[in-house]
């Protein structure tokens, strides 16, 4: 039984690592890495490719996107919308 379980756990780990970039509520791996560089929140890799023509939008901000070698997309924490522009934006409310 122990031999079977060992193979089962090793296989499950490979599947988890393959699916991890698409798990939306996965913990940010960057919290556990002691690095001053920006790292992929899914795998901790520092080798990020910034995507020039795509952005992540919120109601009042716009963030650059990156693609990691693990296949995950992420966004910068720093908005590229200036504070002056943010002051002039009006946020709508639901009826």
């Amino acid at each position: 039984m122990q031999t079977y379980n060992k193979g089962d756990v090793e296989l499950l780990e490979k599947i988890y690592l393959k699916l991890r970039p698409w798990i939306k509520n996965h913990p940010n791996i960057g919290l556990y890495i002691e690095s001053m560089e920006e790292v992929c929140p899914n795998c901790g890799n520092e080798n990020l490719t910034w995507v020039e023509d795509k952005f992540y939008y919120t109601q009042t901000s716009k963030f650059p996107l990156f693609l990691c070698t693990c296949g995950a997309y992420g966004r910068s924490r720093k908005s590229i919308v200036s504070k002056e522009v943010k002051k002039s934006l009006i946020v709508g409310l639901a009826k």
Side-chain angles (χ1 to χ4, degrees), residues 23-82:
I23 302 173
K24 292 189 181 207
N25 62 345
H26 192 277
N28 189 331
I29 300 297
L31 291 171
Y32 306 102
I33 297 174
E34 307 236 351
S35 173
M36 296 306 291
E37 300 295 320
E38 291 179 322
V39 297
C40 174
N42 289 296
C43 71
N45 191 346
E46 292 180 4
N47 186 15
L48 307 175
T49 303
W50 293 94
V51 183
E52 294 184 27
D53 59 340
K54 292 186 179 181
F55 300 95
Y56 180 87
Y57 293 91
T58 65
Q59 285 191 340
T60 58
S61 292
K62 179 179 177 181
F63 300 92
L65 284 179
F66 69 82
L67 177 63
C68 181
T69 54
C70 74
Y73 278 96
R75 70 169 177 91
S76 172
R77 289 182 48 102
K78 300 171 191 161
S79 173
I80 59 174
V81 176
S82 69

Side-chain angles (χ1 to χ4, degrees), residues 7-27:
D8 197 33
V9 169
E10 289 173 357
L11 179 62
L12 186 58
E13 180 182 14
K14 289 177 184 176
I15 293 170
Y16 160 73
L17 292 174
K18 193 148 186 112
L19 293 176
R20 185 169 60 180
W22 291 275
I23 302 173
K24 292 189 181 207
N25 62 345
H26 192 277

